[in-house]
Amino acid sequence: MSRRWLAPALAVLGALLAPAAGADPLNWQAVPVPVTKGDLTAVAALSDTQAYAVGYRLRSDTAADMLALRWDGRTWTQHSTLPAESFPQALAVRSATDMWAAGAGTAQWNGSSWVRRALASDPGGTVTPEALALAEHNAVWVAGKAVPGAIKNGTPAVQRWDGTAWRRQTLPALGKGELNGIVSLGAGQALAVGAQFGTAGQPQRPLVLRLSNGQWRTEPVPQPAGHSWLSAVTSVSPTEAWAVGATSVNGVEQPLALRWNGSAWAATQVPPVPDGRLRAVGRTAAGELLAAGGKGAVAVLLRWDPAANAWQRLADPGIVARTFSTVPGSNAVWAVGISRQGDLVPQTRHTVR
C-alpha cells in the first residue's frame, strides 16, 4: 500500500481548529464514526440530514480500505468502499447518486458503485489532483499539478469533466507551481488558487487563475513578504470570492486571506497566529464566513467580521481536523479528522451556531 502522503500530512497538519479567549463558543459535539483506526480526510454536506465523508480504515500497518461514510441526521454509517489505493483527499457531492472523490486519481459514485475516471494525459507529467468543484450542467472541475517526476518540478493543472471524460484545460505559461483549490462562479467562469514555486531570486508567491470567456488568465494578487501560497477558495457570489492560505517569513507561518470583489483582489486583516496556515474556507446559511487551518500544535478557526472588516478567532472542536464543511440551508458546521489522543482514531465534530 502506498502511504507517500501520510507521514508528512500528520506532521504538518496538526490540530487545525483552536480555542480563542473571548470568542463565541461553537458548542462542538463529538459524533461517533464506524471506523476504529484510520483517517477521515474530506467532508461535504447536502443538508442537516445528509452528509458524506471519505478517508480510509487501517486493516494493518500496510493495508487499508478506502471508504465513504454517510450521515443521515442521527448517525454516521459506512456508505461504500472506494477503489483500492485511491487515497481520497477531496470530495464533491451533487446528490446521493452523483459524488466525486480525488486523491490518487479520481472516482465517481454513480448511485451503486464508485467508478474510476482516468484523468486526461498532461505533457507536464502525471496529474496529482488536490481539489474538486462542481459546476453547472453536471460538469466537475479538478485542480492540482502535473508532476514529471519530482514534486518540486510540478506545474499547475486543471481539468474539466464534461459528462463523458476529463478534458485538460489550457493554462497560461506559469512555470513551476501547483493549484490547491478551485470553485465555479457559474456561467462558464471559475477560479483556481495555489502557488508559483520560488526560484533562486524570487520567493514562492500566491497564484490565482480565472476562467472567463473560455480562457484561463492569471489574476494580479497581493504579494506578501516572504513565501506565500493559497490553499482554498470559495465563491459568495459571481462577483465575490475568498481565498485563504499562508505566508512564511523566517520560517514562521501566518494566516493569509484574500478577497475578490469581481474585479480585483485585496488582502484582509487576519490575527497574528504563528504557524496558523489556513486550509479551508466556507459560508454558513446565515452568511457567516469561516476559515480554518493550523500546523503542528497550533490551531486556528477564523470568522469574518464585516463590521470590523477583519477576521476573528473562534473555538476548537478538539480534533486534528483535516477540513470542515458548512451545511447548505443551515448554520451547522462539520469538522473531520483524527483524535488528538491515540493512534489514528477517526473523529467527526458537529456544531450549529
Side-chain angles (χ1 to χ4, degrees):
M1 179 187 75
S2 171
R3 300 176 69 183
R4 58 181 173 79
W5 54 272
L6 180 56
L10 292 176
V12 302
L13 282 173
L16 291 186
L17 308 176
D24 291 341
L26 288 188
N27 191 30
W28 290 99
Q29 301 294 317
V31 184
V33 294
V35 184
T36 303
K37 188 172 184 178
D39 200 354
L40 297 177
T41 53
V43 61
L46 293 178
S47 69
D48 281 329
T49 60
Q50 189 176 10
Y52 299 88
V54 293
Y56 66 89
R57 174 190 289 112
L58 277 176
R59 290 188 282 111
S60 70
D61 289 342
T62 58
D65 295 323
M66 309 297 118
L67 55 83
L69 305 181
R70 184 185 186 279
W71 169 255
D72 63 6
R74 298 183 62 186
T75 60
W76 285 101
T77 57
Q78 183 164 336
H79 170 269
S80 53
T81 301
L82 281 78
E85 306 288 319
S86 58
F87 296 103
Q89 300 294 301
L91 177 66
V93 179
R94 197 187 308 274
S95 71
T97 59
D98 188 4
M99 294 185 280
W100 289 84
T106 67
Q108 181 186 21
W109 173 258
N110 61 15
S112 59
S113 63
W114 288 94
V115 180
R116 291 185 185 271
R117 301 299 189 189
L119 292 162
S121 62
D122 191 298
T126 301
V127 176
T128 301
E130 300 288 348
L132 290 164
L134 303 176
E136 65 274 20
H137 308 306
N138 293 320
V140 184
W141 292 107
V142 66
K145 53 184 172 287
V147 181
I151 291 177
K152 66 180 182 180
N153 295 322
T155 55
V158 176
Q159 296 195 11
R160 182 178 184 273
W161 177 261
D162 64 4
T164 303
W166 288 106
R167 309 293 181 186
R168 176 177 170 267
Q169 300 286 291
T170 300
L171 304 181
L174 299 168
K176 297 175 183 179
E178 64 185 0
L179 294 171
N180 304 311
I182 191 165
V183 66
S184 171
L185 301 178
Q189 300 186 75
L191 290 168
V193 304
Q196 288 184 291
F197 295 157
T199 63
Q202 178 177 279
Q204 181 170 282
R205 56 189 182 182
L207 172 65
V208 176
L209 299 178
R210 180 184 173 195
L211 174 65
S212 183
N213 298 320
Q215 186 172 359
W216 287 94
R217 297 181 175 86
T218 306
E219 291 271 287
V221 294
Q223 302 293 325
H227 296 281
S228 53
W229 64 94
L230 296 169
S231 302
V233 61
T234 192
S235 170
V236 174
S237 74
T239 58
E240 182 182 356
W242 293 79
V244 299
T247 63
S248 178
V249 179
N250 297 324
V252 178
E253 296 178 7
Q254 297 281 352
L256 173 65
L258 307 181
R259 184 179 190 177
W260 181 63
N261 64 7
S263 60
W265 289 88
T268 58
Q269 183 178 343
V270 294
V273 185
D275 288 337
R277 62 170 67 178
L278 296 173
R279 302 173 182 276
V281 60
R283 195 184 192 199
T284 69
E288 203 170 47
L289 192 71
L290 303 174
K295 177 184 177 183
V298 176
V300 57
L301 175 65
L302 306 181
R303 175 185 62 190
W304 175 249
D305 184 345
N309 199 37
W311 292 89
Q312 298 179 340
R313 292 191 75 177
L314 291 181
D316 179 357
I319 64 173
V320 179
R322 299 303 188 223
T323 189
F324 82 97
S325 173
T326 55
V327 180
S330 168
N331 292 325
V333 180
W334 280 104
V336 301
I338 59 174
S339 172
R340 287 176 175 169
Q341 292 80 39
D343 181 17
L344 291 174
V345 180
Q347 299 275 289
T348 67
R349 293 290 188 273
H350 183 254
T351 187
V352 179
R353 294 299 310 281

